[in-house]
Amino acid sequence: MITDFSKNNSIFNQFLSEIRDAKVQKDRLRFRRNIERIAEIMAYELSKTLKYSEKEITTPLGEAMMNTCDDEIVLATILRAGIPMHQGLLNYFDKADSAFVSAYRKHTSKEEFEIEVEYCASPSLDGKVLIISDPMLATGNSLAGVYQVLKKYGTPKQIHLVFGIATEQGLNFIEKKLPKSTKIWVGAVDVELTAQAYIVPGLGDAGDLAYGEKV
Ligand SMILES: O=P(O)(O)OC[C@H]1O[C@H](OP(=O)(O)OP(=O)(O)O)[C@H](O)[C@@H]1O
Ligand SMILES: O=c1cc[nH]c(=O)[nH]1
Ligand SMILES: [Mg+2]
């Protein structure tokens, strides 16, 4: 199941436009905060798919019956660019555990690279709802590499993937690598990749825009 937020008119598209906009995205604070806002809206929509049960809540004046979430959530993200997206999800799923995985493109030439996963800190994933976020899904290689590592930490009850911008190619690739029940939430789906595997029109390099160019 893929939910594409760009298909509906809402304030979400304003935030997505701003991270794409070559002028607005230069404001690093706004860029990171817009990614957070995108993730917050996605968290809210995703929360409608979780398990809820009725609980008695004691107010200063009486008892209120409220449906609250029973799922245990793990928010996993891919360093570096995933950090603002992770924070946006954590702003809503504030009781969630977190998993951090590093993945970067190790270039063997200008156009060829391999994905290096060097670091992973994760809680057990057994029986949990695992939400993996990344602002960009280009080829899908980083996400696939990260999932291979996370699999060692247990079997989640349900997996959600949350992306700001994805490509058709990346989505087709990861759908073959993850369980069929995986739910995908995406801000927009772009059609092209450059020879260096950058998304067109995309937004550029999300990690560099959020944290500065790396050498
Ligand atoms: O689908 P792929 O082709 O694997 O590309 C997507 C990856 O590229 C970006 O990270 P990047 O490698 O630029 O690292 P960074 O976060 O340190 O900038 C992005 O955040 C994804 O993790
Ligand atoms: O377009 C892209 C592709 C990968 N990573 C990015 O940050 N941007
Ligand atoms: Mg980058």
Side-chain angles (χ1 to χ4, degrees):
M1 184 208 83
I2 300 183
T3 304
D4 179 349
F5 284 72
S6 71
K7 295 248 190 296
N8 292 311
N9 287 336
S10 77
I11 191 71
F12 180 95
N13 288 327
Q14 176 66 36
F15 305 148
L16 196 75
S17 303
E18 288 191 7
I19 61 168
R20 283 189 192 271
D21 189 309
K23 285 195 191 116
V24 182
Q25 65 173 202
K26 286 200 173 68
D27 178 348
R28 238 179 241 176
L29 177 66
R30 190 169 190 88
F31 182 79
R32 292 192 301 265
R33 182 64 192 120
N34 273 329
I35 292 184
E36 261 184 60
R37 297 202 280 187
I38 284 166
E40 285 167 1
I41 293 170
M42 288 173 142
Y44 174 72
E45 290 300 326
L46 188 158
S47 75
K48 295 174 186 173
T49 70
L50 301 175
K51 183 170 168 276
Y52 291 78
S53 68
E54 197 173 54
K55 289 152 193 113
E56 195 175 84
I57 307 293
T58 305
T59 81
L61 300 176
E63 309 299 330
M65 299 309 292
M66 294 292 302
N67 279 357
T68 59
C69 184
D70 297 325
D71 282 323
E72 288 181 273
I73 297 171
V74 177
L75 300 176
T77 203
I78 308 176
L79 302 172
R80 300 169 292 172
I83 294 171
M85 195 122 211
H86 180 83
Q87 188 56 48
L89 294 169
L90 201 54
N91 289 347
Y92 279 24
F93 299 125
D94 49 277
K95 296 186 182 73
D97 283 347
S98 293
F100 295 99
V101 191
S102 74
Y104 70 97
R105 293 175 168 189
K106 191 174 177 184
H107 280 269
T108 48
S109 71
K110 199 167 170 244
E111 288 178 4
E112 282 167 38
F113 61 85
E114 289 161 6
I115 300 301
E116 283 277 312
V117 177
E118 283 177 348
Y119 174 83
C120 179
S122 174
S124 165
L125 302 177
D126 277 326
K128 312 274 177 68
V129 173
L130 172 64
I131 304 174
I132 310 176
S133 64
D134 195 320
M136 309 300 280
L137 182 85
T139 61
N141 284 314
S142 302
L143 196 284
V146 163
Y147 178 62
Q148 282 309 310
V149 174
L150 283 174
K151 264 166 66 171
K152 297 178 192 150
Y153 291 80
T155 308
K157 158 186 169 183
Q158 173 69 51
I159 300 175
H160 297 267
L161 306 178
V162 176
F163 305 118
I165 300 173
T167 60
E168 295 274 6
Q169 180 188 325
L171 289 170
N172 290 337
F173 180 73
I174 56 153
E175 274 181 323
K176 291 188 206 107
K177 304 275 176 190
L178 277 102
K180 283 211 164 22
S181 59
T182 302
K183 291 187 168 63
I184 301 175
W185 308 80
V186 60
V189 181
D190 287 1
V191 283
E192 254 185 274
L193 276 180
T194 64
Q196 286 84 20
Y198 276 89
I199 302 174
V200 182
L203 54 74
D205 190 301
D208 288 359
L209 286 161
Y211 299 112
E213 270 183 46
K214 61 184 178 207
V215 286

